[in-house]
Amino acid sequence: MKNYFYAGTAALALTAGLAQADGHLAGEQVTVFGTWLGPEQTIVEEVLSVFAEKTGADVRYVGSDSFEQQILVDAEAGSAPNIAVFPQPGLASDMAARGFLTPLKDDMGPWIKENYAAGQSWVDLGTYAGADGTDSLYGMFFRVDVKSLVWYIPENFEDAGYDIPNSMEELKALTDQIVADGGTPWCIGLGSGGATGWPATDWVEDMMLRTQSPADYDAWVANDLKFTDPKVIAAIEEFGAFARNDAYVAGGAGAVASTDFRDSPKGMFASPPQCYMHRQASFIPAFFPEGTSVGEDVDFFYFPAYAEKELGNPVLGAGTLWSITNESDAAHELIAFLKTPEAHEAWMKNGGFLTPHKGVDASVFPDDATRKMNEILLGATTFRFDGSDLMPGGVGAGSFWTGMVDYAGGKDAAEVAAGIQESWDALK
């Protein structure tokens, strides 16, 4: 049986206020298990300490770098924590089907729909079939990442007289304008060691959301809409329209697959610039030149939707799902606490946190860049989770990656799609 106690000074972060607490949960223990370690563990403990001080509950957090394996072991052994924080909804869905998760209270779904931007998306992402086949809301998303971003150097745009595009049509026109002016629009790199190819899957997922309905995206992720469907092939080719055009990509199309994703944005910082734009998630500044200031030296804009398709403003991203794996009244109250702006703002002030909660005080964000990124999230009409992360590992972290490398190298999109689908069909 796993012991969810932890020792040392970390315990003080959660219990410091308990001596003064006279809340209704005094004496109740709530255990929380997630993936956060190091500085992030300190922050999540600070968030949980707010709940502890408000209620008198004894809240204990444990982080692990083998969360996915351990949570299953603990659930099967009957020793699960009260709350598990899933890094992706796929595992939560599987555990709900096996009867290891407890549905959230009935008021949670309507609250999320009303108070989260693209609220129905968040309800859908946390709703799964239980052991009896009945759909229920099993999770609350708290802390989100955004992938639908294009990075650029403001000075480069200003010198060339370029404006931020507000639609995919304008982005493609800007791409052509940069070429006409003698420049190279994009830096794209798919290299990532054993994970080479994953950046292209993000492109394809974003293109699926910009060319097809959310229902089609969901069907694709569930293998109800096959990779061989013309809709999916067209999304792959939308990526190819950027990545397989020698004039559009720094180093030419042949360099896309071999360029490491961590190195690919560096061309924006060259003088003269080797490229003007780089599509990548919110984490990419970690690989920018040392001392680069986001919002000043480099900035970003929303990877836009097609104006003519009327699919709103879809956002691709990821997030952590808080679910009840060992039911108690205190566990339900902790989930309810995540509805409060106070819970979100406790992490917001520390940075590295985005939220679709429409009621938070944006001034709490530590910098303008994070605030601007959160505005993109709040402007979403649809939010969808990274599709490859929801697919079986053999596809989402296997044939989809390698297929995109083959496609970037010149292989036909339909042929690549057929190979990916064949690998999915072969899974048992």
Side-chain angles (χ1 to χ4, degrees):
M1 181 177 294
K2 185 175 177 68
N3 183 2
Y4 280 90
F5 288 79
Y6 57 90
T9 57
L12 300 177
L14 299 187
T15 59
L18 295 183
Q20 292 77 35
D22 56 0
H24 60 288
L25 294 179
E28 296 286 329
Q29 186 181 106
V30 187
T31 52
V32 181
F33 184 37
T35 60
W36 294 302
L37 296 165
E40 288 185 319
Q41 174 167 339
T42 301
I43 294 172
V44 74
E45 287 170 349
E46 181 179 336
V47 175
L48 294 173
S49 73
V50 177
F51 174 75
E53 290 165 8
K54 289 171 72 74
T55 64
D58 178 7
V59 188
R60 303 181 178 238
Y61 172 81
V62 172
S64 172
D65 57 6
S66 57
F67 169 87
E68 290 85 349
Q69 296 77 27
Q70 191 63 51
I71 190 61
L72 276 173
V73 170
D74 294 338
E76 290 169 349
S79 59
N82 296 113
I83 291 175
V85 185
F86 293 90
Q88 54 180 267
L91 178 57
S93 175
D94 292 343
M95 290 186 64
R98 296 182 62 184
F100 290 142
L101 302 188
T102 298
L104 303 186
K105 297 290 188 181
D106 290 342
D107 64 337
M108 289 298 297
W111 184 91
I112 293 169
K113 187 174 180 179
E114 179 67 24
N115 291 278
Y116 269 23
Q120 187 61 54
S121 294
W122 297 105
V123 173
D124 293 345
L125 282 167
T127 299
Y128 320 118
D132 63 356
T134 302
D135 283 348
S136 297
L137 178 65
Y138 282 99
M140 167 86 167
F141 278 89
F142 180 81
R143 195 194 189 198
V144 176
D145 296 310
V146 170
K147 295 194 171 192
S148 302
L149 303 174
V150 178
W151 297 85
Y152 72 104
I153 308 294
E155 184 178 353
N156 292 346
F157 266 49
E158 184 177 346
D159 290 347
Y162 300 143
D163 295 323
I164 303 302
N166 294 310
S167 67
M168 184 60 69
E169 291 91 343
E170 291 183 4
L171 179 62
K172 290 187 172 183
L174 174 59
T175 297
D176 287 330
Q177 182 61 52
I178 292 171
V179 173
D181 292 343
T184 302
W186 295 92
C187 279
I188 304 175
L190 308 187
S192 186
T196 291
W198 72 259
T201 69
D202 284 0
W203 271 89
V204 173
E205 290 152 8
D206 252 334
M207 288 305 189
M208 275 292 292
L209 289 172
R210 282 153 182 73
T211 57
Q212 307 302 329
S213 70
D216 279 336
Y217 183 91
D218 295 342
W220 171 54
V221 169
N223 199 28
D224 294 327
L225 182 72
K226 306 300 182 183
F227 264 90
T228 50
D229 190 283
K231 295 177 180 179
V232 181
I233 294 172
I236 294 172
E237 291 175 336
E238 286 275 349
F239 163 61
F242 291 92
R244 301 210 324 181
N245 186 325
D246 284 330
Y248 282 1
V249 188
V256 169
S258 60
T259 300
D260 192 287
F261 86 92
R262 289 156 286 212
D263 295 329
S264 57
K266 293 178 180 176
M268 293 191 300
F269 298 90
S271 183
Q274 296 172 5
C275 65
Y276 281 81
M277 293 178 286
H278 181 69
R279 186 226 155 276
Q280 190 50 274
S282 54
F283 68 81
I284 197 62
F287 303 105
F288 290 164
E290 187 175 352
T292 299
S293 175
V294 176
E296 297 179 12
D297 305 318
V298 66
D299 210 342
F300 57 87
F301 57 86
Y302 168 64
F303 188 54
Y306 279 99
E308 65 183 25
K309 303 228 180 248
E310 298 184 350
L311 289 170
N313 297 318
V315 170
L316 180 72
T320 56
L321 182 79
W322 294 55
S323 296
I324 295 175
T325 41
N326 187 354
E327 188 178 16
S328 70
D329 289 342
H332 280 290
E333 289 207 33
L334 177 50
I335 295 293
F337 167 67
L338 300 182
K339 297 192 297 185
T340 67
E342 185 178 13
H344 297 249
E345 291 163 6
W347 198 322
M348 285 165 55
K349 68 183 182 182
N350 288 292
F353 184 91
L354 301 177
T355 176
H357 195 314
K358 294 186 288 188
V360 300
D361 179 1
S363 69
V364 175
F365 284 114
D367 54 71
D368 290 338
T370 307
R371 194 172 299 113
K372 176 183 170 183
M373 199 172 292
N374 206 74
E375 288 172 0
I376 291 175
L377 185 58
L378 291 177
T381 54
T382 299
F383 184 95
R384 282 299 183 268
F385 212 89
D386 181 305
S388 61
D389 281 350
L390 301 180
M391 296 172 184
V395 178
S399 58
F400 194 3
W401 290 353
T402 56
M404 288 301 95
V405 173
D406 291 341
Y407 176 67
K411 198 170 183 178
D412 179 71
E415 185 180 354
V416 167
I420 299 170
Q421 188 60 50
E422 183 178 346
S423 77
W424 200 331
D425 293 341
L427 294 176
K428 302 299 181 183

